[in-house]
Amino acid sequence: MRPTNTRNPDYFHKVVDCQWACPAHTPVPAYIRLIAQGRYSDAYMLNRESNVFPGILGRVCDRPCEPACRRGRLEEEPVAICRLKRVAADHRDDITDQLPKKPAKTNGKRIALIGAGPASFTVANDLAPLGYECTIFEKLSEPGGLMRSNIPAFRLPEQVLSEELGYILGMGVELKLGHSVDSMDALLEEGWDAVFVGSGAPRGKDLNLPGRWDTKDADGVAGANVHIGIDWLGSVAFEHTKAIGENVLIIGVGNTAMDCCRTSLRLGAKNVKVMARKPRAFFKASAWELEDAEEENVEIIVNHSPKSFVLKDGKLTGMVFEVMEYEIDESGKIISQNMTGETTIACDDVILAIGQDNAFPWIEETSGIKLDKWHVPEVDEATFESTRKGVFFGGDAAFGPKNIIWAVEHGHQVAISIHKHCQGKMLSGRLPNEVDMLPTKMGMFEWRYSNSYDDAARRKMTHVELTKRFEDLDVEVELGFTAEQIATEVERCLNCDIQTVFEASLCEECDACIDICPVECLSMTPDAEDEAELRASLSASEIIEGQALYVSDALPLTGRVMIKDENVCLHCGLCAERCPTAAWDMKESLIEIHYADEQDAEQKIGGGA
Amino acid sequence: MTSFVKPFIRRKNEPTNDLGLVRADYDGAMSTLCAGCGHDSVTATMARAFFELSIEPHMAVKVSGIGCSSKTTAYFLRESHGINTVHGRMPSVATGAIAANHQLAYIGVSGDGDSLSIGLGQFVHAMRRNVNMLYVLENNGVYGLTKGQFSAAADIGSTAKKGAVNELPPIDPVSLALSVGATFVARGFSGDRDQLLPLIKAGLKHKGFGLIDVISPCVSFNDHKGSTKSYAHAYKYYNPAIHADYVPPSQQIKAAYAAGEVMPVKLHDGGEIRLRKLENGYDPRDRAAAIGKLFESGESSEIITGLLYINEDHKDMHDMARMEDRPLNQIPYAELNPGAAKLKELQKGFR
Ligand SMILES: Cc1cc2nc3c(=O)[nH]c(=O)nc-3n(C[C@H](O)[C@H](O)[C@H](O)COP(=O)(O)OP(=O)(O)OC[C@H]3O[C@@H](n4cnc5c(N)ncnc54)[C@H](O)[C@@H]3O)c2cc1C
Ligand SMILES: Cc1ncc(C[n+]2csc(CCOP(=O)(O)OP(=O)(O)O)c2C)c(N)n1
Ligand code: SF4
Ligand code: SF4
Ligand code: SF4
Ligand SMILES: [Mg+2]
């Protein structure tokens, strides 16, 4: 086979499972090492470079990094990456003077940003320090987007949100609150140099079953006591809604449903049931959100498909469900479904949490921005430009509802595009990622990282007592890690960015590395045509999708090759420690990702500015 | 950190053997040998052989003498019986242990110094008695532990690290074994585990004395140019002549083979060894041929490896001496020690 090209910056990047899985490619192990050293502010700033909102994300990130974490392939539980991010935020000093400053002079380019969610804020974060005049238009009275209106304060305290948004506003970004953009054509008339649409996916799905519109409130408005989840959460956040009935049914079992059921409990509901159409394996909510809801005694009922609303004298009294049965095959797919009966469940209120759609009633066809029939805009996946030059989409507005960290990553990419657009450059001419390899050896048995394997189990976040939790809507449930928890959890990280680097010409073929490797991921074998044949020589090889097999150059004595399964390597450095000729070495891979501010690198060098 | 240990990690989805144990259950303490020592590679291969044979660790006994090689019994099978004897005395201690309980799996680990100088007499007699054990001689041409003096296995003309030339003829443990009655004689190389692993498995399953002379380079004192036991030299002159696979009784139907290519040798446990000749006309059941082949290869300085000789029909020590079949610790005390009166009676018969 062809020897692996480790110079391809993606090779080592992919080995760092968490960083690779993170949409914004946060350098997780690097910041965990800073936390281990007590350098919380540095850890915070390193996070901020890629994910912009460490305090927010350290609490409510969707954390795609955690299911990807290597530790989860060795044992059951991944490193508590998200919790450690919060540690950096909780324990940082005042970092305001390390933030990019508002430049003394602007560059005269005016950028309009629609919606004050994480996407727009990230674009502004990247562009304002470069001199762009950024104006954010937000129809609500507070900034933050869904982070403010929908993510409840018991998960994300208001002060954490405001502080991190404040950092960006401090860079000279203008925020126009209570300012709804109602016509794209009119906005375009105003002659902005670029427009960013970060208005989210604001339309909660409805459920038009019999009886849906037959209830009436005191003023005779139809549909009383049946709420659209995201609208209801917004109205709770802005204190328009302060109470709910005793018995509440939540329809749907995604993350919105989890926030709805827990919020209901805080508004006085005594008996909350989350109604799921399918079995547990099909739930959309993250495992930890389900866990937290169940801890609060929310009942989750599976295999109930909503059929109709039940009313008495124009008042909602319950809902009828069809009880379902599913046949599931070995791969976990549903192969058939069957209705086994019907049941009525009593309730005072129903909250619908079954999804969100895009909606752009304010974008006219004349604007030249193409939307498909579901109102999803046609957007370039790399540049985020719409079909109209100079108009960009990002966050939930671009490809439908995702999460905060995706909105942030979109924001970074949009900022690069806007920067190029304003300079009249090709949007696609973006700087590729690079990788730097730094030595880590300090001496015999001494590496610049804590290489020894620690078998501690994942630390569990402590929660506020159940009795105290419901006293107020904004009692934050998670208390943060204690010193002991921090000290243990940082050691669980395997430092996957400290890479095993092999130099074939130095190898003596003595087997020392192969024997010392505690997970048996190395082997020397005659070269073969295909990967499966090479893998056969590994005693403990499982093929995991996306995990590479490293293949060295031919070895000097026998012409065999050294192979390494990247799947289970612990990055313990024992192979390098044990190698008599230092053919194996441990090097830190630094993935260099270039944001908007670095895109002019070639210009700087050329122009000597 | 001043030193390090290899962590014991039980990964999920890790392969297990018939006993439900993982490979690492057959590891021992962390090796203190020099990084790159061939002995460590042999240790790992021995551990894997026991793992693959699904031998319960407490049903195995490790015996050794003195030397870097002899130290390695500490580095595998942490839950087995073991004894480090004095220098060169391992064969007698092993013989005694086997006399007391021959139902355990015995593996002796020694070096060329331990076996061919101070321990030569004991080594030869254990082979002559066909003691039922596998004897792994990790051969590096020097006394590694005492910093690299020539051993009796050093070749004529081979040089020491500082340049001194060896003029004494070597003792070849393989020729020696063939001449004194060992019934399983093989040579391997720490750098070729594909060959060594099945050899160790076959040797453990063979009934009688099995010797594997393993070329196992000493990286610290005998891995230089001019040495005939260096990695570079061994890889260069290495000739894997006969490959032996051990096939346990349970797998015999599955592992089919084309007649003519493979020579099967039935073992006492019901399993069999399948010999694949990599060279024409060589029959490892023919002792004279084996001796001839060895002398031939000696001339060309090639290192001929593989299972060079096997005789599964010869009686082992236990059978020859008509010894008690039950382990002594399983015999009731009254039977084991019939008393002074019975002894007197017995002695009478010898008067
Ligand atoms: C209940 C709920 C819980 C969630 N929990 C999490 C979580 O725990 N973790 C996570 O990562 N993600 C979570 N999400 C998803 C996450 O909040 C969104 O993906 C993210 O906020 C999208 O950011 P955005 O910038 O694209 O848009 P948004 O945050 O939706 O912000 C858009 C803003 O634009 C404004 N706007 C819309 N139209 C106009 C207009 N015409 N003029 C002016 N302003 C306008 C809106 O008022 C809004 O403030 C959750 C979502 C919901 C609904
Ligand atoms: C009675 C006695 N004499 C001498 C020694 C010194 N001594 C220790 S190890 C050794 C030789 C070991 O050589 P070898 O068996 O080849 O082992 P290696 O270290 O090369 O693996 C000697 C002579 C001793 N320990 N005991
Ligand atoms: S062990 Fe550490 S570096 Fe490796 S994937 Fe998990 S968090 Fe990332
Ligand atoms: S760092 Fe080396 S010894 Fe450790 S697990 Fe990875 S390959 Fe094995
Ligand atoms: S001295 Fe030689 S034989 Fe002993 S451990 Fe070191 S390399 Fe191995
Ligand atoms: Mg020796």
Side-chain angles (χ1 to χ4, degrees), chain B residues 244-281:
Chain B
D245 278 317
Y246 170 71
V247 185
S250 57
Q251 279 173 27
Q252 292 203 358
I253 306 133
K254 272 185 267 163
Y257 54 89
E261 279 176 22
V262 172
M263 250 185 262
V265 179
K266 271 261 168 246
L267 296 184
H268 281 82
D269 75 335
E272 89 188 7
I273 294 175
R274 291 185 185 165
L275 299 162
R276 269 187 288 133
K277 288 173 295 175
L278 304 171
E279 210 157 275
N280 264 340

Side-chain angles (χ1 to χ4, degrees), chain A residues 500 517-519 521-522 564 569-575 586:
Chain A
T500 55
C517 177
V519 289
C521 64
L522 303 176
K564 178 186 171 214
C569 168
L570 296 174
H571 299 259
C572 63
L574 294 189
C575 50
M586 302 304 292

